[in-house]
């Protein structure tokens, strides 16, 4: 709830539901996921996130607001995870098939860390990172830089000699069509312009519970919505 650029963003309404509900639904739709945990802070402002998640039957873990690495590590530990999938809670159009693909490729290759963010071919808002708990335990033990504590997986990418990596690209995931090679398309929620675009999609599309990812991209293209948030810049690690 304490987002500096868009306070309370995870509980903003989208299509008659909260933004966070769409993220959770989409993660739960991934067939390779066993357990979903909402990892929020112990700040009083985040009491509402815990309450809402509990109402919808989702597990919650609360930890340090600033040390997000420790919070996520302990959340994974609390459910005895042997593999961790990191999804940020501001991606209401996350593609479940992409989540499954990154998980599957990590398992097939046997690497410690697989992701679709090493080479940017996916739209922003489809970021998936999958890593073994054993490697995450080493990250938790050695990471000390404030940027590593805030950005959770930055330690992996800053120390490529210590881990086995695998990069997943959009060409491997999507059939030829609109979602391929669209790294400049923003489907994440950081600022008001992002919300304006997402509201247009969620209000304009027809869907049952949450919009299909490819349908959302097609709708954005057909209605010329991609320019709405092109001026928003991605937050960089400090």
């Amino acid at each position: 709830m304490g987002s500096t650029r868009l306070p309370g963003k995870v509980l903003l309404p989208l299509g008659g539901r909260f933004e966070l509900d769409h993220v959770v639904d989409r993660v739960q739709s991934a067939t390779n996921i066993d357990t979903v945990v909402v990892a929020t802070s112990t700040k009083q402002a985040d009491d509402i996130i815990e309450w809402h998640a509990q109402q919808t039957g989702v597990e919650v873990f609360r930890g340090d607001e600033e040390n997000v690495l420790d919070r996520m590590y302990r959340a994974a530990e609390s459910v005895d995870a042997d593999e961790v999938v990191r999804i940020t809670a501001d991606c209401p159009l996350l593609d479940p098939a992409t989540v499954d693909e990154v998980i599957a490729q990590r398992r097939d290759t046997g690497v410690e860390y697989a992701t679709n963010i090493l080479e940017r071919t996916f739209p922003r808002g489809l970021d998936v990172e999958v890593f073994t708990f054993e490697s995450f335990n080493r990250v938790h033990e050695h990471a000390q830089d404030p940027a590593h504590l805030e950005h959770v997986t930055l330690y992996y990418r800053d120390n490529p000699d210590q881990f086995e990596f695998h990069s997943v690209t959009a060409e491997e995931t999507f059939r030829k069509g609109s979602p391929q090679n669209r790294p400049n398309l923003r489907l994440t929620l950081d600022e008001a312009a992002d919300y304006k675009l997402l509201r247009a999609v969620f209000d304009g599309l027809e869907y049952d519970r949450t919009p299909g990812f490819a349908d959302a991209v097609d709708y954005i293209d057909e209605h010329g919505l991609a320019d709405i948030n092109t001026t928003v810049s991605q937050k960089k690690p400090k």
Side-chain angles (χ1 to χ4, degrees):
M1 297 299 286
S3 168
T4 55
R5 292 195 284 176
L6 192 60
K9 64 181 182 179
V10 297
L11 292 186
L12 286 174
L14 282 175
R17 305 173 68 208
F18 292 127
E19 189 272 347
L20 180 62
D21 295 331
H22 292 286
V23 179
V24 170
D25 268 7
R26 299 172 91 83
V27 177
Q28 288 177 329
S29 296
T31 57
N32 286 330
I33 294 287
D34 296 315
T35 304
V36 177
V37 182
V38 173
T40 191
S41 87
T42 55
K43 293 277 186 165
Q44 185 176 3
D46 289 327
D47 288 352
I48 186 65
I49 292 179
E50 179 180 32
W51 178 84
H52 179 68
Q54 289 174 338
Q55 300 306 301
T56 56
V58 182
E59 294 199 42
V60 181
F61 180 87
R62 301 186 69 171
D64 192 284
E65 182 179 46
E66 303 297 331
N67 191 342
V68 190
L69 168 58
D70 182 70
R71 187 202 317 168
M72 187 160 183
Y73 174 83
R74 297 189 185 285
E77 191 177 46
S78 73
V79 293
D80 197 26
D82 56 11
E83 184 178 38
V84 184
V85 181
R86 183 195 181 206
I87 304 294
T88 57
D90 49 11
C91 300
L93 288 174
L94 177 76
D95 180 37
T98 299
V99 177
D100 277 332
E101 182 66 23
V102 179
I103 296 172
Q105 290 200 32
R106 193 214 66 77
R107 293 173 180 174
D108 289 346
T109 58
V111 298
E112 295 168 304
Y113 175 83
T115 183
N116 60 356
I117 67 173
L118 294 177
E119 177 186 354
R120 281 286 176 186
T121 59
F122 289 82
R124 292 278 183 179
L126 270 74
D127 295 7
V128 182
E129 297 173 279
V130 185
F131 39 96
T132 63
F133 185 80
E134 187 277 331
S135 68
F136 196 32
N137 187 62
R138 284 161 28 219
V139 171
H140 182 258
E141 181 180 351
H142 294 294
Q144 295 182 345
D145 188 298
H148 293 154
L149 302 184
E150 178 184 358
H151 295 281
V152 183
T153 54
L154 184 61
Y155 186 91
Y156 282 101
R157 299 188 296 281
D158 281 351
N159 296 277
D161 57 318
Q162 297 182 24
F163 305 98
E164 298 171 308
F165 283 13
H166 179 70
S167 178
V168 180
T169 62
E171 294 90 337
E172 300 170 292
T173 306
F174 300 125
R175 291 191 297 269
K176 289 184 178 180
S178 57
Q180 278 202 15
N181 295 310
R182 301 289 295 274
N184 295 321
L185 178 60
R186 285 187 58 84
L187 304 178
T188 188
L189 180 59
D190 282 321
E191 296 189 8
D194 296 325
Y195 185 51
K196 182 179 180 181
L197 183 149
L198 291 168
R199 277 291 299 265
V201 172
F202 278 80
D203 291 347
L205 263 179
E206 292 186 10
Y207 54 91
D208 292 329
R209 187 170 173 85
T210 190
F213 165 70
D215 292 338
V217 175
D218 288 343
Y219 186 85
I220 289 169
D221 291 344
E222 290 167 6
H223 293 82
L225 302 177
D227 290 340
I228 290 176
N229 61 351
T230 53
T231 59
V232 178
S233 58
Q234 196 70 15
K235 184 178 179 181
K236 301 292 184 183
K238 298 176 182 178

